[in-house]
């Protein structure tokens, strides 16, 4: 059994941001935080060729300047120590990465443009390779999440090349996108129902003959990426995109971006659920850069069908499939040769599958209706992006976006996300926040900061106490 303060599943953007911020906090004497990050494939795997829901060559919708430390407002979480935290985090910025590989001037001279996903993935891998202080990186897959006998720790079984090992932690964070949402279908239709969950390899194997009419289901980033990819392979194919809402193009706005960077600006949690949902729908979900949407404008072989796909059946005489969709106009059925599922991922289902039966029952007891409630309901999350009512803490940054701020579901505020998750574990937090019991280690001996010129660790504890704690009122801007 390996004990750790926080175990993070996933070495994507969110996991890397948490890991490097823990490294920074430890190096400044604001810990100690023992963090374990578990990744099955490799650092930033979903951002690289062949592993993600996109081809990795798509250009990010935002500037990479929104890196793992953005928005560099650590004073909100760590008080007067925040300035020193941000200064240390800048050593792992996007600009510093470009300097290290000799490409900074080239990027600036090009107008500091957005970059391909795989380039941002290389940046994330570079950052994670430098997360060493108190960080344990584990190559493996988390297969079971349960509660300890006293229900005060999470116990995670991780299967790797050397077998299965068990970890025990005070807090657990699940950062992956989740499990692909399925489309109801006949078993006979399964061979012609593809998905974007396995990267591009399987889609590229669809035969040219007999695949001239392809349906793509979904209205998000993965659906648009799939349209672009399939069009590159099948220039003459007819593409039908089934989407609940027509895709919109977005022009960067200071007011919108400010809400992503700092949701306290508008006191996000005080807004009605309807207002928050509408903001996310108009600024994030199914919203693409104008240049990408315009490419479909003159494509006469591509068209959108508003509606929700309800079933995929085998086609007549075993040829192709029939897709049933429903909209305000009623029920529609249409034949296609293939269907590609790009409806998105469900992180709560990923959690449900990972949980041991008794832990699932306990969460359901403390958080009623978590899985059985209506899909449009709001799930309560605390300021640390933890599932409200659950202790030990269970951090779910993606699903917490509706409750705590839209940037926590994407790249909009990675540094703020890390501050929120790690704040309760830092020196100066209460024992209740840290999850410490009588048999746990103390806060550590007082000492000087690891970096020259730093304040004693006890001084930093007092500085942190001046920052925001869970339940504190938002800071006015």
């Amino acid at each position: 059994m390996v004990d750790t303060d926080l175990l993070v599943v996933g070495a994507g953007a969110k996991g890397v941001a948490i890991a490097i911020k823990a490294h920074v906090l430890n190096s400044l004497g604001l810990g100690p935080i023992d963090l374990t990050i578990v990744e099955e494939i490799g650092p930033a795997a979903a951002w690289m060729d062949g592993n993600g829901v996109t081809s990795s060559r798509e250009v990010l919708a935002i500037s990479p300047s929104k890196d793992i430390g953005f928005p560099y407002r650590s004073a909100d979480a760590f008080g007067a120590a925040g300035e020193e935290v941000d200064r240390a985090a800048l050593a792992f910025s996007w600009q510093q990465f470009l300097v290290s590989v000799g490409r900074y001037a080239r990027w600036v001279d090009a107008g500091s443009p957005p970059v391909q996903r795989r380039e941002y993935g290389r940046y994330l891998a570079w950052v994670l390779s430098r997360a060493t202080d108190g960080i344990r990186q584990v190559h493996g897959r988390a297969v079971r999440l349960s509660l300890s006998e006293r229900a005060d720790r999470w116990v995670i079984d991780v299967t790797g090349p050397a077998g299965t090992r068990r970890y025990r932690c005070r807090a657990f964070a699940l950062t992956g996108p989740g499990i692909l949402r399925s489309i109801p279908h006949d078993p006979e239709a399964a061979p012609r129902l593809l998905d974007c969950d396995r990267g591009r390899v399987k889609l590229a194997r669809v035969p040219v003959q007999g695949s001239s009419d392809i349906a793509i289901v979904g209205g998000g980033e993965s659906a648009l990426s799939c349209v672009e990819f399939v069009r590159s392979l099948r220039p003459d194919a007819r593409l039908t995109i089934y989407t609940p809402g027509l895709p919109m193009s977005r022009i960067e706005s200071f007011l919108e971006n400010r809400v992503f960077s700092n949701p306290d600006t508008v006191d996000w949690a005080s807004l009605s659920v309807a207002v928050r949902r509408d903001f996310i729908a108009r600024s994030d979900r199914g919203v693409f850069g104008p240049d990408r949407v315009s490419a479909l404008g003159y494509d006469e072989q591509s068209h959108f069908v508003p509606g929700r796909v309800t079933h995929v059946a085998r086609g007549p005489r075993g040829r192709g499939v029939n897709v049933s969709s429903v909209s305000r106009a009623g029920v529609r059925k249409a034949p296609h040769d293939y269907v590609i599922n790009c409806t998105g991922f469900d992180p709560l289902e990923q959690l449900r599958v990972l949980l041991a039966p008794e832990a699932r029952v306990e969460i359901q007891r403390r958080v009623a209706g978590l899985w059985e409630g209506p899909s449009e309901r709001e799930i309560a999350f605390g300021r640390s992006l933890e599932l409200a009512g659950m202790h030990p803490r269970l951090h779910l940054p993606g699903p917490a976006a509706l409750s705590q701020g839209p940037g926590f579901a994407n790249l909009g505020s990675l540094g703020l996300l890390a501050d929120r998750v790690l704040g309760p574990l830092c020196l100066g937090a209460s024992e209740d926040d840290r999850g410490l019991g009588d048999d746990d280690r103390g806060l550590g001996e007082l000492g000087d900061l690891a970096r020259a010129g730093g304040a004693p660790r006890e001084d930093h504890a007092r500085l942190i106490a001046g920052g925001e704690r869970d339940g504190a009122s938002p800071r006015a801007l």
Side-chain angles (χ1 to χ4, degrees):
M1 182 83 73
V2 179
D3 284 303
T4 185
D5 292 320
L6 172 65
L7 187 140
V8 177
V9 172
K14 297 179 182 66
V16 170
I18 295 171
I20 200 65
K21 184 59 69 73
H23 164 91
V24 166
L25 293 170
N26 285 333
S27 68
L28 295 177
L30 299 177
I33 299 173
D34 186 290
L35 184 146
T36 300
I37 184 166
V38 176
E39 169 59 44
E40 181 180 6
I41 302 175
W47 296 78
M48 310 306 282
D49 293 327
N51 292 311
V53 299
T54 71
S55 71
S56 84
R57 289 171 172 78
E58 292 83 1
V59 174
L60 288 176
I62 64 174
S63 168
S65 295
K66 289 193 173 182
D67 53 26
I68 51 86
F70 186 83
Y72 295 95
R73 293 179 53 92
S74 295
D76 291 347
F78 308 115
E83 182 180 353
E84 192 167 11
V85 172
D86 288 338
R87 189 183 304 116
L90 281 170
F92 311 99
S93 67
W94 165 255
Q95 286 83 352
Q96 187 60 47
F97 163 68
L98 290 183
V99 170
S100 71
V101 297
R103 298 177 59 188
Y104 180 63
R106 182 176 180 179
W107 182 69
V108 172
D109 290 341
S112 304
V115 297
Q116 289 181 325
R117 289 175 57 89
R118 58 179 177 174
E119 188 64 22
Y120 196 80
R122 294 189 186 103
Y123 161 62
L124 294 175
W126 176 85
V127 172
L128 187 60
S129 70
R130 286 154 175 76
T132 57
D133 197 335
I135 313 302
R136 180 186 299 108
Q137 297 185 37
V138 177
H139 180 205
R141 178 169 62 94
V143 295
R144 180 183 173 92
L145 176 65
S146 56
L147 286 165
S148 63
E149 291 184 4
R150 295 196 304 174
D152 61 346
R153 300 288 189 275
W154 291 110
V155 177
I156 304 98
D157 292 335
V158 177
T159 298
T164 299
R165 195 166 190 181
R166 180 162 289 183
Y167 296 82
R168 183 171 55 190
C169 60
R170 298 178 173 87
F172 176 81
L174 190 61
T175 66
I179 292 177
L180 184 72
R181 294 185 175 93
S182 62
I183 297 177
H185 62 277
D186 293 341
E188 298 84 358
R192 290 180 176 268
L193 178 57
L194 310 176
D195 62 61
C196 61
D197 190 26
R198 300 175 182 87
R200 295 302 192 226
V201 177
K202 189 172 182 179
L203 298 183
R205 293 174 180 168
V206 175
V208 175
Q209 297 297 326
S211 59
S212 60
D213 190 309
I214 299 174
I216 297 172
V217 183
E221 175 71 19
S222 59
L224 180 59
S225 173
C226 189
V227 170
E228 296 169 336
F229 180 76
V230 173
R231 175 55 74 221
S232 68
L233 295 177
R234 306 286 187 270
D236 300 323
R238 176 180 173 84
L239 304 182
T240 302
I241 302 98
Y242 290 88
T243 171
L246 293 177
M248 298 177 290
S249 59
R250 177 191 178 196
I251 299 175
E252 291 292 300
S253 159
F254 167 74
L255 294 176
E256 289 176 334
N257 287 337
R258 187 173 61 171
V259 177
F260 279 83
S261 302
N262 185 4
D264 288 342
T265 299
V266 294
D267 196 2
W268 176 266
S270 71
L271 301 175
S272 70
V273 176
V275 169
R276 282 179 271 149
R277 285 190 184 280
D278 183 65
F279 179 89
I280 291 174
R282 291 177 179 274
S283 62
D284 187 30
R285 304 285 171 82
V287 181
F288 315 108
D291 55 331
R292 297 184 66 186
V293 176
S294 64
L296 300 175
Y298 289 99
D299 188 343
E300 296 181 354
Q301 289 291 89
S302 297
H303 69 285
F304 292 88
V305 174
R308 181 173 57 87
V309 171
T310 56
H311 191 76
V312 177
R314 183 180 63 172
R317 296 182 296 278
R319 296 180 180 176
V321 293
N322 277 335
V323 174
S324 298
S325 63
V326 61
S327 67
R328 286 195 169 191
V331 177
R332 178 182 185 272
K333 292 186 178 181
H336 300 282
D337 294 321
Y338 284 87
V339 178
I340 304 175
N341 178 11
C342 299
T343 55
F345 297 82
D346 186 348
L348 289 180
E349 180 64 13
Q350 181 185 17
L351 173 64
R352 190 189 69 80
V353 171
L354 184 62
L355 284 167
E358 62 276 9
R360 193 182 310 152
V361 170
E362 182 63 17
I363 290 181
Q364 185 64 22
R365 184 183 71 82
R366 300 190 197 183
V367 189
L370 180 60
W371 289 288
E372 290 75 14
S375 59
E376 67 274 8
R377 76 198 183 286
E378 178 187 11
I379 300 171
F381 283 87
R383 191 167 175 80
S384 296
L385 314 182
E386 83 283 10
L387 193 61
M390 193 63 213
H391 188 82
R393 285 186 302 279
L394 180 57
H395 302 281
L396 300 170
L402 178 62
S403 174
Q404 294 297 319
F408 297 125
N410 46 47
L411 303 181
S413 53
L414 292 173
L416 179 61
L417 182 156
D419 291 343
R420 293 279 190 95
V421 171
L422 294 170
L425 292 171
C426 285
L427 186 63
S430 68
E431 290 193 357
D432 181 63
D433 279 339
R434 289 178 61 87
L436 297 173
D438 293 337
D439 59 342
D440 290 311
R441 69 186 186 319
L443 294 179
E445 296 180 1
L446 298 178
D448 293 336
L449 288 174
R451 300 195 173 192
R457 186 176 292 178
E458 56 187 353
D459 292 341
H460 273 281
R462 288 193 291 271
L463 293 177
I464 292 175
E468 288 185 350
R469 306 306 313 158
D470 290 356
S473 300
R475 177 173 300 193
L477 298 181

